[in-house]
Amino acid sequence: MGLFDFFKKKSNGKTNENPIDETQLEFIEKTTNNAEKLISSFNERLDHGLDYSESSLTVLDEEILSLFSENKDDMDSGILEDIIAQAGSYIFEVARRNYGGEYYWYDQLNQPILVTGQPDFEISILAFEKVKQNGNEDNIPFFFAGYSERVKKGKKGDKAMIT
């Protein structure tokens, strides 16, 4: 089973008191584990700069994803998927730990999405998609600042997807 396949599982007909809570907890655990893989691989070399703060996204972007962007055409598809999943999970966890939110599955792009602000407003972030398309003109800190600003200014009924 892939990292996020459990989130797409169909119900087996058994009732569960809090299926959403259980799914969220499982998703958080898997996302955190994936982010921790990235941290354990790079944090010592990066002066422990990966600490789930918004400022740590600069470290992620400049020290890890810049190398990924330069070499992604020459990478094995499995390694590429691991980097996308680990970096995307790290971005998700920075967002969730700083602003809250719940994970959902976004069928259109076949990847997870974090939705913050419910029930008052919905600001969504697609971290995996951003890691795949990351470039100098719209780096991770800039991307995340757009999400952060929208969450901080969120008003009843607001809806936005940050990609």
Side-chain angles (χ1 to χ4, degrees), residues 119-152:
D120 297 326
F121 58 90
E122 292 181 8
I123 307 300
S124 306
I125 188 170
L126 286 164
F128 286 27
E129 193 64 19
K130 179 58 189 159
V131 171
K132 286 180 193 176
Q133 299 174 358
N134 191 37
N136 293 331
E137 67 285 345
D138 185 15
N139 62 30
I140 298 296
F142 180 80
F143 159 77
F144 196 87
Y147 161 80
S148 176
E149 288 173 27
R150 286 252 169 96
V151 171
K152 289 175 184 174

Side-chain angles (χ1 to χ4, degrees), residues 42-51 59:
F42 294 99
N43 216 18
E44 193 170 311
R45 287 181 268 177
L46 299 174
D47 245 358
H48 301 282
L50 298 174
D51 59 5
V59 173

Side-chain angles (χ1 to χ4, degrees), residues 17-30:
E17 286 182 28
N18 295 313
I20 293 175
D21 292 339
E22 186 177 304
T23 301
Q24 286 299 314
L25 291 174
E26 187 176 351
F27 201 101
I28 290 166
E29 179 184 342
K30 288 190 182 270

